[in-house]
Amino acid sequence: MVSFEMNDRKKIGLGLTGFGIFFSFLGIIFFFDKGLLAMGNILFISGVTLTIGLKSTMQFFMKRQNFKGTISFGVGFFFVVIGWPIFGMILEAYGFVVLFSGFWPTLAVFMQRIPILGWLFQQPYIRSLFDRYRGKRVPV
């Protein structure tokens, strides 16, 4: 059973995940600095592991439908470490999108509830994009 209480381990995990995203962002801003990108990757993976637990992390990355994302994320991380940061980040970005593709509809619903962004996402054109992504038939 999943526990939704916020204990110290989860707080540290969320902090590490946030720092991982921040270091990855800095690595991209500073012209794909491989040190910052590698640090960001390590912090992100360790933060996710601390947040949801080792067993859940292994189950998530080892799911059959997540193999493409896991392999591309891992190979991208390897390329960042050996010194090919641009190619590595492209592979990691693809792996990230494939791995977390199940969360995009949840993220879209969350973003629609944010005050200013919610109004923007309620506009007809953008709403039709969301509906098309969810698989609803929308007249063009």
Side-chain angles (χ1 to χ4, degrees):
M1 183 167 153
V2 178
S3 173
F4 292 111
E5 68 181 38
M6 188 61 90
N7 57 18
D8 289 339
R9 183 180 53 88
K10 289 183 181 180
K11 289 178 186 175
I12 292 170
L14 287 173
L16 288 176
T17 303
F19 277 119
I21 292 169
F22 177 69
F23 274 94
S24 295
F25 177 73
L26 279 180
I28 292 170
I29 293 296
F30 291 132
F31 302 112
F32 293 95
D33 181 49
K34 66 180 178 179
L36 288 173
L37 291 173
M39 181 77 70
N41 288 334
I42 292 168
L43 289 172
F44 179 77
I45 294 297
S46 61
V48 168
T49 303
L50 279 176
T51 302
I52 65 174
L54 183 62
K55 182 179 177 184
S56 297
T57 303
M58 294 303 289
Q59 287 175 348
F60 176 73
F61 282 105
M62 297 302 162
K63 281 184 189 174
R64 187 123 177 94
Q65 67 263 25
N66 289 348
F67 272 165
K68 274 188 353 187
T70 301
I71 296 296
S72 64
F73 192 84
V75 170
F77 176 72
F78 175 73
F79 279 132
V80 166
V81 170
I82 66 168
W84 293 5
I86 295 174
F87 187 64
M89 285 306 293
I90 290 170
L91 280 173
E92 282 185 12
Y94 172 74
F96 186 81
V97 168
V98 171
L99 279 171
F100 296 102
S101 62
F103 298 117
W104 299 127
T106 305
L107 181 65
V109 169
F110 173 74
M111 288 175 64
Q112 286 176 352
R113 294 175 195 252
I114 296 174
I116 295 171
L117 288 176
W119 175 82
L120 182 68
F121 288 135
Q122 295 299 327
Q123 300 306 311
Y125 177 72
I126 296 175
R127 189 168 181 86
S128 69
L129 290 175
F130 279 130
D131 290 341
R132 204 171 290 143
Y133 180 75
R134 281 189 234 144
K136 294 181 181 177
R137 292 195 155 261
V138 177
V140 179

